[in-house]
Amino acid sequence: TAVALLNRSPVALNMTVKFTLLNLNPDVSFTVRDLWLEKDLGQFKAEFTTTVETHDTAMISLTPATHGL
């Protein structure tokens, strides 16, 4: 699942993606990846929050985390 967070504000904002709004199970861990930086940001449950600079866009992907690898 890919998500774009668009900040049209004149100030940086903390923006949150709530997994239930994407029909994702909030009890499952998801690996969040920054698509611009091509970097994994960690594993998260239920929601993910990031700072998006003024007039900028954050692009992330969410994939179910695998355990035991």
Side-chain angles (χ1 to χ4, degrees):
T1 301
V3 178
L5 300 170
L6 174 63
N7 180 5
R8 294 180 158 182
S9 170
V11 296
L13 294 176
N14 286 331
M15 302 183 86
T16 300
V17 176
K18 295 192 179 290
F19 297 172
T20 55
L21 294 176
L22 302 171
N23 291 323
L24 299 175
N25 184 340
D27 297 323
V28 172
S29 291
F30 287 85
T31 299
V32 176
R33 182 171 181 83
D34 184 314
L35 297 176
W36 296 133
L37 298 177
E38 299 180 355
K39 178 181 176 186
D40 288 339
L41 303 177
Q43 294 183 5
F44 299 85
K45 279 187 176 182
E47 65 183 30
F48 170 76
T49 300
T50 190
T51 301
V52 181
E53 296 300 324
T54 181
H55 302 291
D56 201 1
T57 303
M59 292 281 296
I60 60 169
S61 68
L62 303 166
T63 55
T66 56
H67 299 285
L69 294 179

